[in-house]
Amino acid sequence: MTKNKKAQKALDKLLSRQDYLVVQGNDLAKSFGGLKAFEQRVLDYCFSFVQEDDTANKTYEVSAIEVIKHFGLNTSGDSYERIAKAFKTLNENTALYLPTTLASGEKGIIMTQLFGRIVFGESGTVQFKFSEDAAPLVFDRQIL
C-alpha cells in the first residue's frame, strides 16, 4: 500500500482535533458542544430510551406531547414547533468523526452522524434511530 502524503496530512490534521474525534462512549456527549441547552436536554432525553440489551437497529418512538410534558412546556403549537426544531437541529448538528482502521491496516476516519434517521409525524409521533456507526458508542460498546 502506498501512502498519499496529502491524504496522510489531512488525516493527521483531523486526528489532532481531539474535540471532534470521538474515541470512547463517555466522549459522546461532549462532542456535541454546538447544541443549545434545550437541544442538549432533548438529546439526553433520547439517550434515556436506550436499554442495556438494545441493538443498533432499534427504533425508538415517543409522542411530541410526552416530550412537551417531560420538559414542562405548554401544549401550544409553539411547543410542538420547538420540539420539531430541536430534533431537526439534532439531525443536522450531531456529526461524528470516529477513528478506524481499514482492512488493509490503513488508518482512517469514519465521517458519520449520531442519528440514522428521525421521523416527525403529523400526529405528533417522533421516531428516532441511532446510526449504525454511532450505536456502539450510544450503547457504550467500544468499536475500536
Side-chain angles (χ1 to χ4, degrees):
M1 160 184 75
T2 21
K3 290 187 178 182
N4 178 317
K5 289 184 181 186
K6 291 179 183 176
Q8 180 67 39
K9 186 175 180 179
L11 179 64
D12 289 343
K13 201 172 204 176
L14 281 173
L15 287 172
S16 71
R17 297 182 67 190
Q18 291 300 315
D19 290 340
Y20 298 98
L21 190 66
V22 178
V23 294
Q24 55 187 10
N26 61 6
D27 286 339
L28 190 59
K30 70 181 178 184
S31 68
F32 305 121
L35 298 177
K36 294 179 182 169
F38 183 71
E39 295 156 354
Q40 185 66 53
R41 289 174 54 209
V42 173
L43 179 58
D44 290 343
Y45 182 74
C46 291
F47 285 146
S48 75
F49 281 83
V50 176
Q51 300 294 311
E52 186 176 337
D53 58 344
D54 287 351
T55 60
N57 62 356
K58 170 95 181 200
T59 299
Y60 302 93
E61 185 171 328
V62 65
S63 69
I65 194 71
E66 288 175 66
V67 179
I68 288 169
K69 287 180 180 177
H70 177 80
F71 290 112
L73 304 173
N74 295 330
T75 55
S76 68
D78 289 343
S79 293
Y80 281 88
E81 187 174 341
R82 186 174 181 193
I83 299 296
K85 283 182 178 179
F87 276 102
K88 179 180 184 292
T89 299
L90 289 178
N91 185 57
E92 294 171 346
N93 295 345
T94 54
L96 291 171
Y97 303 94
L98 307 169
T100 191
T101 303
L102 305 176
S104 65
E106 177 182 3
K107 289 190 307 184
I109 296 177
I110 300 169
M111 298 179 199
T112 188
Q113 59 190 72
L114 179 61
F115 291 96
R117 67 184 295 160
I118 299 173
V119 179
F120 198 95
E122 66 181 9
S123 68
T125 59
V126 181
Q127 296 176 347
F128 59 93
K129 181 178 176 180
F130 296 104
S131 75
E132 183 179 320
D133 291 319
L137 294 169
V138 171
F139 304 135
D140 202 24
R141 297 180 195 130
Q142 200 62 17
I143 61 172
L144 304 174

